[in-house]
């Protein structure tokens, strides 16, 4: 099955060959009988749609070739993926626990959540600046607690953000922070499950209830 | 900030933020071809509307289309996609002569297609003012012909650059983009030919 025919000439060429085959089958069937042409058109079109949907649903299961990493015994590299919950108490507590007694390196990646239209138009400045503000506040709290943390803004797709980060930051562990079930778009999209399938790195899921935190405060 | 850093900052605009998923060049080509698909879609809508509301045999008996000549033209255009693909594969392997030959052959076949279409228009025996079928026939095939002309222009530019040695196995974006467009023009012709001449 051809992939996006706009990405490269080779894919466009493959798409052309598939089109030739698709149209030729319909024309031959229609030459035999009009109703047969319609049937072949419907069957082939349905088959193409099914194959396309399947190929899209299989995409998250593909394991990207990201470099693996093994730290020394007294070192721990932790990759944190969090957006609105990046300053949550639960997340900060877990990071403090995981950093205790080891020489930790924490990289906090804050995906710049954006609307699909803005993402396609590469208009990410607003989303990035909002994510940057949350990230700065979170990093300041972590550093106050003695955690060696760095941060960066990632792709709006959390899985893509993890993949991008793993290429430059060898992580022993990934921590994904989300809102509770029912309020989390990431949980609805099964981001944690997809990340566990996709990356060969232990993943910890932290639920941060910002509303409860605010009530306690 | 140091003076050097300030000077560097002043000399270049800041790098634009963009998603790592959507390459700007790919997005541009996608949007362009999407607009072209919509343009062709409007012509196909008109064609099938006329065909559905017309209860006579299709095409109307007074119109005779040169199916075989159009088939030969189709073969020429599809073959030109092979040579286009060969041109790109050649430069990817560092074979500049293959790229140049592929581009020149593609242009020659594109010209042959256009010339054949012009001869077909001259001898077809009806003109755009001879009813709805004639109008949409010339509209659809003419629209496609215009796209072949645009494709040939892109290929000519790519060829000139190829003969000047602008492309390398690592940098051949000019050939790649022209190739994607050329294949798109071919795909559109397959649909136009099947719809108008065969079905």
């Amino acid at each position: 099955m051809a992939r996006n025919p706009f990405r490269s000439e080779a894919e466009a060429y493959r798409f052309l060959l598939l089109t030739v085959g698709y149209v030729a089958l319909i024309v031959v069937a229609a030459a035999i009988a009009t109703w047969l042409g319609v049937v072949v058109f419907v069957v082939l079109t349905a088959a193409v749609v099914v194959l396309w949907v399947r190929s899209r649903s299989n995409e998250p299961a593909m394991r990207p070739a990201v470099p693996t990493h093994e730290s020394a015994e007294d070192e721990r590299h932790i990759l944190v993926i969090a957006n609105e919950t990046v300053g949550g108490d639960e997340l900060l507590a877990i990071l403090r626990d995981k950093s205790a007694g080891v020489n930790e390196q924490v990289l906090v990646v804050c995906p710049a959540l954006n609307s699909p239209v803005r993402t396609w138009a590469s208009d990410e400045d607003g989303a990035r600046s909002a994510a940057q503000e949350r990230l700065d506040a979170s990093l300041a709290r972590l550093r106050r607690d003695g955690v060696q943390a760095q941060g960066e803004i990632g792709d709006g797709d959390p899985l893509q953000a993890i993949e991008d980060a793993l290429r430059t930051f060898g992580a022993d562990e990934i921590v994904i922070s989300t809102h509770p079930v029912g309020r989390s778009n990431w949980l609805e999209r099964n981001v944690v499950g997809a990340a566990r399938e996709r990356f060969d790195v232990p993943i910890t899921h932290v639920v941060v209830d910002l509303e409860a935190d605010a009530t306690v405060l | 900030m140091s003076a050097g850093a300030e000077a560097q900052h002043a000399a270049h605009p800041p790098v634009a933020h963009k998603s790592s998923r959507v390459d700007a060049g790919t997005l541009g080509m996608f949007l362009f071809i999407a607009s072209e698909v919509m343009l062709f879609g409007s012509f196909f809508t008109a064609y099938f509307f006329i065909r559905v509301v017309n209860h006579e045999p299709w095409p109307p008996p007074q119109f005779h289309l040169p199916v075989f000549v159009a088939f030969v033209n189709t073969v020429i255009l599809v073959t030109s996609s092979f040579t286009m693909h060969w041109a790109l594969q050649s430069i990817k392997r560092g074979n500049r002569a293959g790229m140049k030959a592929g581009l020149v052959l593609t242009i020659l076949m594109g010209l042959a297609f256009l010339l054949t279409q012009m001869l077909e228009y001259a001898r077809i025996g009806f003109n755009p003012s001879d009813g709805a079928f004639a109008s949409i026939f010339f509209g659809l095939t003419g629209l496609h012909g215009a796209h072949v002309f645009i494709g040939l222009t892109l290929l000519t530019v790519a060829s000139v650059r190829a003969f000047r040695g602008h492309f390398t196995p690592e940098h051949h974006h000019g050939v790649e983009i022209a190739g994607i467009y050329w294949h798109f023009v071919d795909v559109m012709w397959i649909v136009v030919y099947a719809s108008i001449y065969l079905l």
Side-chain angles (χ1 to χ4, degrees):
Chain A
M1 184 86 181
R3 290 188 297 256
N4 184 347
F6 308 112
R7 276 195 196 282
S8 71
E9 185 273 343
E11 294 299 341
Y13 176 67
R14 225 163 281 153
F15 183 73
L16 168 73
L17 296 182
L18 287 171
T19 305
V20 171
Y22 172 84
V23 172
L25 285 173
I26 293 169
V27 168
V28 168
I32 296 168
T34 305
W35 65 267
L36 187 59
V38 174
V39 168
V40 170
F41 166 74
V42 170
V43 169
L44 283 182
T45 306
V48 167
V49 170
V50 168
L51 284 174
W52 180 69
V53 170
R54 269 195 194 170
S55 68
R56 281 178 67 84
S57 61
N58 285 341
E59 274 173 14
M62 289 163 58
R63 284 178 184 265
V66 291
T68 52
H69 172 81
E70 277 187 31
S71 297
E73 271 190 20
D74 59 341
E75 276 189 5
R76 193 109 190 114
H77 286 203
I78 304 169
L79 172 62
V80 180
I81 304 292
N83 190 52
E84 289 168 344
T85 59
V86 73
D89 291 338
E90 295 92 335
L91 175 62
L92 298 176
I94 281 210
L95 290 179
R96 278 194 295 266
D97 287 350
K98 288 184 180 294
S99 305
V102 291
N103 182 16
E104 81 287 354
Q105 287 290 331
V106 176
L107 175 66
V108 183
V109 173
C110 207
L113 298 187
N114 211 358
S115 72
V117 172
R118 285 179 183 272
T119 302
W120 271 83
S122 289
D123 178 12
E124 303 209 325
D125 289 356
R128 278 178 174 269
S129 60
Q132 187 71 53
E133 280 181 24
R134 286 192 290 270
L135 179 62
D136 289 343
S138 172
L139 289 177
R141 282 187 70 180
L142 283 170
R143 285 171 188 154
R144 256 201 317 271
D145 292 345
V147 177
Q148 297 179 48
Q150 297 170 307
E152 63 184 40
I153 305 300
D155 192 279
D157 176 355
L159 294 175
Q160 185 65 51
I162 293 172
E163 188 179 327
D164 290 346
L166 286 177
R167 290 185 191 283
T168 54
F169 179 78
D172 301 301
E173 179 175 1
I174 299 172
V175 176
I176 301 178
S177 170
T178 69
H179 291 293
V181 178
R183 295 209 302 273
S184 169
N185 179 261
W186 287 4
L187 288 184
E188 200 172 310
R189 288 163 47 199
N190 190 29
V191 165
V192 179
R196 286 195 170 118
E197 277 186 23
R198 192 163 162 179
F199 304 109
D200 282 324
V201 181
I203 292 176
T204 304
H205 175 210
V206 182
V207 175
V208 175
D209 192 342
L210 291 177
E211 288 182 11
D213 289 354
T215 310
V216 171
L217 287 173
Chain B
M1 188 183 284
S2 70
E6 273 180 13
Q8 195 177 22
H9 184 76
H12 303 283
V15 179
H17 295 312
K18 62 175 188 177
S19 165
S20 58
R21 280 173 295 167
V22 187
D23 169 63
T26 305
L27 176 64
M29 179 52 74
F30 173 78
L31 291 177
F32 175 62
I33 291 184
S35 72
E36 295 283 61
V37 168
M38 283 187 266
L39 179 64
F40 272 96
S42 64
F43 276 73
F44 274 113
T45 304
Y47 172 79
F48 283 109
F49 177 78
I50 293 167
R51 186 166 176 167
V52 167
V53 298
N54 192 325
H55 296 294
E56 293 175 359
W58 190 265
Q62 67 270 32
F63 298 107
H64 298 286
L65 298 179
V67 177
F68 181 71
V69 173
F71 173 72
V72 172
N73 236 2
T74 304
V75 171
I76 290 171
L77 207 57
V78 172
T79 308
S80 75
S81 263
F82 296 162
T83 53
M84 183 70 235
H85 186 59
W86 176 48
L88 202 81
Q89 292 304 309
S90 296
I91 188 60
K92 281 180 179 173
R93 294 182 176 93
N95 178 4
R96 286 166 191 266
M99 173 187 61
K100 290 174 193 169
L103 284 171
V104 169
L105 281 173
T106 307
I107 290 173
L108 288 177
M109 279 187 266
L111 285 172
F113 176 89
L114 274 188
L115 188 65
T116 309
Q117 195 169 40
M118 281 191 274
L119 290 173
E120 182 188 329
Y121 281 175
R123 297 176 183 181
I124 202 163
F126 58 89
N127 60 54
S129 60
D130 289 339
F133 173 77
S135 297
I136 199 65
F137 170 81
F138 280 104
L140 252 176
T141 55
L143 177 72
H144 181 268
H147 282 77
V148 173
F149 180 77
I150 295 169
L152 282 174
T153 309
L154 292 177
L155 289 174
T156 304
V157 172
S159 296
V160 170
R161 293 189 62 198
F163 277 92
R164 290 185 175 180
H166 288 192
F167 300 122
T168 64
E170 294 79 27
H171 302 287
H172 45 261
H173 210 54
V175 187
E176 180 109 33
I177 294 294
I180 292 174
Y181 185 79
W182 192 252
H183 296 319
F184 160 74
V185 170
D186 273 16
V187 166
M188 274 300 155
W189 175 252
I190 299 291
V191 180
V192 169
Y193 174 65
S195 303
I196 294 184
Y197 291 87
L198 299 180
L199 295 175

